[in-house]
Amino acid sequence: MAVPVAFFAVFFAYPVAAIVARGLEIDGTWRFGRIGEVLAQSDVRHVLWFTTWQALASTALTLLIALPGAYVFARLDFPGKQVLRAVVTVPFVLPTVVVGTAFLALVGRGGLLDGLWGVRLDTTVWAILLAHVFFNYAVVVRTVGGLWSQLDPRQEEAARMLGASRLRAWRQVTLPALAPAVAAAALMVFLFTFTSFGVVQILGGPAFSTLEVEIYRQTSQIFDLSTAAVLTLIQFAAVAAILAVHAWSVRRRETALRLVDAATTARRPRGTGQWALLAGVLITVAVLLVLPLAVLVQRSLGAPGFGYYRALTREDGGTFLVPPIEAIGNSLQYAVAATAIAVVIGALAATALTRRDAGRFVRGFDALLMLPLGVSAVTVGFGFLIALDEPPLDLRASWILVPLAQALVGVPFVVRTMLPVLRAVDVRLREAAAVLGASPWRVWREVDLPMVRRALLVAAGFAFAVSLGEFGATVFIARPDNPTLPVAVARLLGRPGDMNYGQAMALSTILMLVCAVALVVLERLRTDRSGEF
């Protein structure tokens, strides 16, 4: 645990504590009364209300739209099911900047749905809500559908034989068994939407602002660190509460249920109702998930002769100090370095968490590993600039700063992917190897590693994908001559002109394709034990 604890202490806890201290400490005195002063401001209360309201609305809308899809993937067998599963998962691994750009192309000025029914969708909250559903659809399908596919269908059939209607059997037999998975999925969606930054930053404009967006505005535009520190503490407390409830729901989900092999529960659609449900899910996927990405690609090809793509190779002397195309190479290099860091730190943490003699501190650290997913990435990025500016940790001018920030987001995915497989390794195999004289390192190399190698590759793929799309922290620490793809997209969208807009669409398309390729590799590598998230 020494290396993971040191990593999180230096590159997560220290930067976050430094920026909070900088905001609340004045002339050597801590001003905790500043918290009440900030909460008394009407605009801050409006941000808190909107952050919570849009997260609740996004979660409810996502469950409403995605639960039928969870049933289709769990209970129905049809041609192209695996391809459709990959298509559904693509939005989840896409960077939030790409999601926001795709919906901007769909509902923004001149978009396919611009002025539909006489309403500009990009000026309403609906654009944000639909983008959140697009991003989190796979979370519900994978989390709920994964458990649903393993529930014994004979339990519901027995209720039908005893006279219960189809709806009553589902409500009284299946739904209680699915409740922990539905609760876990809802909490994950709420967490992702509560801390939403890229989507709201692009689609919200000046009218809508979440806590994350407001923290970014207070730090980078107004330079009010005091208010930003208070908002960070509020978000930290909210995320800690969400993660505590999530841990409770996961423990409930792990209680004994009558589970069967998922391959035996899916059947060909029977009856008009199931065929209609399948058709409805296919239409939903096509309209909600595929259409925005298709429009994104179409808008990137708007200039004759791939003009927007060719413009990426030229310097403009304004937005970038280098041609925007160099952001592709920068992102790939940063993502590879971040993946290596995340895999090492995550593998060490996951190995420690599987030990039977792990103490309370180690088990508590398991929950802390999830905090980087919920704590403001903007705070972490700005904290890097404030905290890591003196020897021996003066890293502001070092390229490693970006991969370190990206690795913080990748480590939880590595741990969550490897833990189930490591826990499934028979401890007697390790004990037998130790009795035969193998050192702990050799035991891990020759017993654990062969069994978890595929899960390790899947974990590396997830870390690579999320590193490519990290935006909140990178926007602060990426140097102007070494921008990443998400930062380059945001900068282009921030400048007027069709050429800048078209180049943003082109870069977003490239980033989408890179993430899609990473997902295809993941789908080929995944196993039954390591494939679900």
Side-chain angles (χ1 to χ4, degrees), residues 330-499:
N330 296 334
S331 287
L332 293 175
Q333 293 174 17
Y334 288 144
V336 169
T339 300
I341 296 171
V343 167
V344 171
I345 301 299
L348 289 172
T351 302
L353 291 171
T354 56
R355 291 181 60 88
R356 289 186 174 182
D357 57 347
R360 183 177 300 177
F361 171 76
V362 175
R363 292 192 295 270
F365 189 66
D366 185 17
L368 295 178
L369 288 171
M370 296 293 290
L371 283 179
L373 294 181
V375 173
S376 169
V378 171
T379 300
V380 174
F382 199 61
F384 269 33
L385 296 181
I386 291 177
L388 306 180
D389 61 344
E390 296 179 357
L393 287 174
D394 187 2
L395 302 177
R396 287 182 301 174
S398 175
W399 66 273
I400 196 64
L401 206 60
V402 174
L404 286 172
Q406 294 174 344
L408 283 172
V409 184
V411 168
F413 287 91
V414 174
V415 174
R416 286 289 163 263
T417 303
M418 294 188 63
L419 264 181
V421 182
L422 283 170
R423 285 172 174 164
V425 177
D426 193 339
V427 69
R428 292 173 297 180
L429 295 176
R430 302 188 182 107
E431 294 171 348
V435 168
L436 294 174
S439 65
W441 164 246
R442 188 176 180 185
V443 170
W444 191 89
R445 189 178 71 246
E446 297 190 9
V447 176
D448 292 71
L449 184 58
M451 296 185 179
V452 303
R453 182 181 292 113
R454 186 166 294 182
L456 190 63
L457 293 174
V458 172
F462 270 120
F464 182 80
V466 298
S467 298
L468 274 177
E470 205 289 318
F471 176 61
T474 309
V475 71
F476 276 100
I477 57 181
R479 295 166 55 181
D481 57 343
N482 285 291
T484 62
L485 277 171
V487 172
V489 170
R491 289 180 183 173
L492 287 167
L493 287 175
R495 298 191 68 191
D498 291 339
M499 182 56 68

Side-chain angles (χ1 to χ4, degrees), residues 29-381:
T29 303
W30 285 79
R31 289 190 57 198
F32 290 105
R34 180 61 179 158
I35 298 177
E37 295 174 4
V38 171
L39 291 177
Q41 299 175 15
S42 59
D43 55 341
V44 171
R45 291 200 304 270
H46 176 75
V47 168
L48 289 173
W49 173 84
F50 177 74
T51 301
T52 306
W53 177 87
Q54 64 83 27
L56 289 171
S58 297
T59 301
L61 192 60
T62 302
L63 289 175
L64 180 65
I65 295 177
L67 281 177
Y71 172 82
V72 165
F73 280 102
R75 292 301 197 207
L76 301 184
D77 186 22
F78 52 91
K81 182 177 179 178
Q82 294 303 320
V83 175
L84 188 63
R85 185 190 297 273
V87 170
V88 165
T89 312
V90 165
F92 182 75
V93 300
L94 286 180
T96 55
V97 171
V98 174
V99 176
T101 308
F103 272 82
L104 187 65
L106 182 65
V107 304
R109 187 175 299 277
L112 185 64
L113 301 182
D114 181 25
L116 185 67
W117 299 304
V119 177
R120 287 287 308 279
L121 290 178
D122 64 329
T123 61
T124 70
V125 73
W126 279 104
I128 296 174
L129 298 182
L130 291 175
H132 283 160
V133 174
F134 169 91
F135 187 76
N136 293 292
Y137 186 90
V139 174
V140 177
V141 169
R142 291 276 186 151
T143 304
V144 179
L147 179 61
W148 207 336
S149 64
Q150 292 182 280
L151 293 181
D152 192 343
R154 291 174 297 183
Q155 297 177 358
E156 190 171 323
E157 292 170 358
R160 294 289 308 279
M161 291 289 294
L162 293 173
S165 63
R166 185 181 298 275
L167 177 61
R168 185 180 180 185
W170 181 85
R171 189 178 69 249
Q172 296 186 351
V173 177
T174 303
L175 183 58
L178 288 177
V182 173
L187 282 166
M188 282 191 288
V189 174
F190 184 84
L191 175 63
F192 291 144
T193 53
F194 187 84
T195 58
S196 181
F197 177 60
V199 168
V200 181
Q201 176 76 358
I202 292 175
L203 295 176
F208 304 107
S209 179
T210 58
L211 269 174
E212 189 88 354
V213 174
E214 187 63 18
I215 292 172
Y216 174 74
R217 190 175 73 90
Q218 294 289 341
T219 52
S220 65
Q221 299 176 12
I222 302 178
F223 304 107
D224 186 352
L225 291 185
S226 178
T227 299
V230 172
L231 295 179
T232 297
L233 290 175
I234 295 172
Q235 188 179 43
F236 186 86
V239 168
I242 295 170
L243 291 178
V245 176
H246 180 262
W248 173 78
S249 69
V250 168
R251 286 195 296 270
R252 284 192 61 199
R253 184 182 175 186
E254 291 176 348
T255 56
L257 290 173
R258 186 176 179 182
L259 303 180
V260 297
D261 185 1
T264 64
T265 61
R267 301 175 180 176
R268 297 281 293 182
R270 292 177 296 181
T272 305
Q274 290 189 348
W275 281 107
L277 182 61
L278 176 59
V281 169
L282 292 176
I283 293 173
T284 299
V285 170
V287 174
L288 184 63
L289 305 186
V290 177
L291 182 60
L293 300 180
V295 172
L296 174 65
V297 175
Q298 182 268 328
R299 296 295 288 270
S300 74
L301 299 172
F306 298 95
Y308 294 142
Y309 289 91
R310 286 190 288 106
L312 296 176
T313 62
R314 299 193 296 264
E315 296 184 32
D316 64 358
T319 308
F320 303 99
L321 300 179
V322 295
I325 196 70
E326 292 191 13
I328 300 174
N330 296 334
S331 287
L332 293 175
Q333 293 174 17
Y334 288 144
V336 169
T339 300
I341 296 171
V343 167
V344 171
I345 301 299
L348 289 172
T351 302
L353 291 171
T354 56
R355 291 181 60 88
R356 289 186 174 182
D357 57 347
R360 183 177 300 177
F361 171 76
V362 175
R363 292 192 295 270
F365 189 66
D366 185 17
L368 295 178
L369 288 171
M370 296 293 290
L371 283 179
L373 294 181
V375 173
S376 169
V378 171
T379 300
V380 174

